[in-house]
Amino acid sequence: MIKKAIITILLALVAMTGQAQTKTATVIGYSPALKDGTLVLAGTGTSGTVVDTVQAGRFTYTLPVEKFTESSLSFYGEGCPRMFLNIYLKPDVSVNVTGKDLCVPLWKVESPLPEQQTQNRLKEHCRDVLTERVQMDLTNAPHEKRDSVTMIWMKQQMDILPSLPVDAATIQALWDIARWTVEMAKKRKDFPHMEQLKEVEKTIAARAPKEFEEKLAEIHSYVYAKDEQQIAVELAGNESVFFKKYDGVAPENILQTILDKYKGKAVLIDMWETWCGPCRAGHKAMAPMKKQMKGQNVQFVYIASPSSPSTTWQEMIKDIDGDHYYLTEEQNHYILQHYESSGIPTYAIYDTKGHQTYKSIGFPGNDVIRKELETASK
């Protein structure tokens, strides 16, 4: 009897220890504009999963949070924009989110974290133009018009950034501006704000704590991006990198064109982008497994698009063993549609006969991937 009681106590202590190690943050929200049944999507970084369903305009969810992190909140339902709201979280923090309409990125966020206060100041400074940009998304305005408004939004943010604290919110805003500015500069030869961006980047970098070195290096690569002709020359001799070598292939043929190169091998397709935190975390997690599987009948294939600035992509792939493809937006979109995926990372596995045997939206873990690859390679 005593032995049984001791075992029961020990089991209870183990359970309590497990609970104590699971750190979470809570988000409580309300908007009368949300219809019942609207899906609430949230997660760390830009990835999100369904965490609640709206009832009477209200929703609540918790996220596992081991340390300070950026999270995203968005909704899937009638009238909801495809844009999301940035929310900063720490373990045991509770955040309140409220809005009067469906302009989600403009909703009020009440939080004790100073980074959220920085984000709120930035948002208030740009409220008018940001409202216009969200409305364009809701009405599905042409991309050319959205780009023009987005450029004004970028300019307003650059005007205020040097006066804000240099923290995670400031760095994230600069990262977003740099990434979008590079893309817009490709579309507009008369893009007027590159010099201001270089000055802001220099000012923020000089004041930033060391913890942001990696992010700032990425921003620097966006701001001082190489032209694509130079990158193509640098990669010309690399037999495992296919930079714009398949631009002329029709979107509906691109996946099969890639798979045909690896007949007789099991293939893992990894759809990713340089700006996707969960994608990069998956690369890091898989690295030891890939070393263990070296020499097996398996090929790792990584696919990105112009959504990833080419200079940054070129640098990142140096640390990712495998074959790398930089496709057009249309080709990339077609493959994601083929996989019925609306997000990244997306993984697909093919056996030695070219048949798809597995798919996952989000990193499923090394154990699952290894097991599926070993089965597919037989």
Side-chain angles (χ1 to χ4, degrees), residues 36 106 169 185 201 205 219 277 310:
D36 287 357
L106 288 159
E201 185 256 352
I219 292 169
S310 49

Side-chain angles (χ1 to χ4, degrees), residues 179-180 183 186-187 228 244 246-247 249 251 254 271-273 275 303-309 326-337:
R179 186 168 72 87
W180 275 100
E183 291 304 307
K186 290 178 184 177
K187 299 176 184 178
E228 293 183 346
K244 294 185 169 293
Y246 289 91
D247 277 12
V249 178
I254 187 62
M271 306 290 294
W272 74 292
E273 301 293 353
W275 45 264
I303 296 175
S305 75
S307 171
S308 297
Y326 194 87
L327 303 182
T328 68
E329 290 286 4
E330 294 77 15
Q331 290 168 336
N332 194 71
H333 181 66
Y334 181 87
I335 296 175
L336 286 172
Q337 279 191 322

